[in-house]
Amino acid sequence: MLYVLIGEDAPNALDKRLAARGEHVARLQALQADGRLVLAGPCPAIDANDPGPAGFTGSVIIAEFPSLADAEAWAAADPYMTTGVFTRCTVKPFRKTLP
């Protein structure tokens, strides 16, 4: 089943985000290689593709996992959680309707 993971950045987390990005992206690439990643990306803090020093407010990931517990465990182990980039990550079942 698909799950949406919505991570919320801590205030002033840009430096932590940049430091953990490589490991975070590697985990996403592993999901992609397994054919389980639908989409992933950050939410800029301002209305711009590159928010510069304004940073990000969080990230959204939609991916396939065997269960809600597996999706929650994956999110909890993500470097953005373990290094304090995210203050929390909400995980919910997701049903793709369109396209």
Side-chain angles (χ1 to χ4, degrees), residues 11 13-14 17 24 32-34 39 43 45 48 54 57-58 60 71 79 84-85 87 93:
L14 183 57
R17 177 182 270 272
H24 169 75
Q32 185 178 23
D34 288 344
L39 66 86
C43 301
T57 60
V60 175
V85 174
T87 57

Side-chain angles (χ1 to χ4, degrees), residues 2 6 10-11 18 21-22 29 32 34 36 38-39 42-43 46 50 54 59-60 63 72 74-75 81 83 88 93 97:
L2 294 177
I6 305 166
L18 295 174
R21 186 176 186 279
Q29 289 171 330
Q32 185 178 23
D34 288 344
R36 297 170 42 204
V38 175
L39 66 86
C43 301
I46 60 172
D50 181 359
S59 296
V60 175
E72 290 172 333
W74 190 94
M81 279 300 294
T83 63
R88 69 178 165 183
T97 302

Side-chain angles (χ1 to χ4, degrees), residues 5-97:
L5 292 68
I6 305 166
E8 297 178 36
D9 279 24
N12 304 309
L14 183 57
D15 289 340
K16 288 181 182 179
R17 177 182 270 272
L18 295 174
R21 186 176 186 279
E23 189 178 348
H24 169 75
V25 170
R27 295 179 86 235
L28 293 171
Q29 289 171 330
L31 286 177
Q32 185 178 23
D34 288 344
R36 297 170 42 204
L37 182 65
V38 175
L39 66 86
C43 301
I46 60 172
D47 191 12
N49 282 329
D50 181 359
F56 301 90
T57 60
S59 296
V60 175
I61 299 166
I62 299 176
E64 184 179 345
F65 292 93
S67 69
L68 178 59
D70 289 320
E72 290 172 333
W74 190 94
D78 189 80
Y80 281 5
M81 279 300 294
T82 61
T83 63
V85 174
F86 291 160
T87 57
R88 69 178 165 183
C89 187
T90 303
V91 181
K92 297 179 182 185
F94 180 82
R95 188 183 75 187
K96 182 179 176 187
T97 302

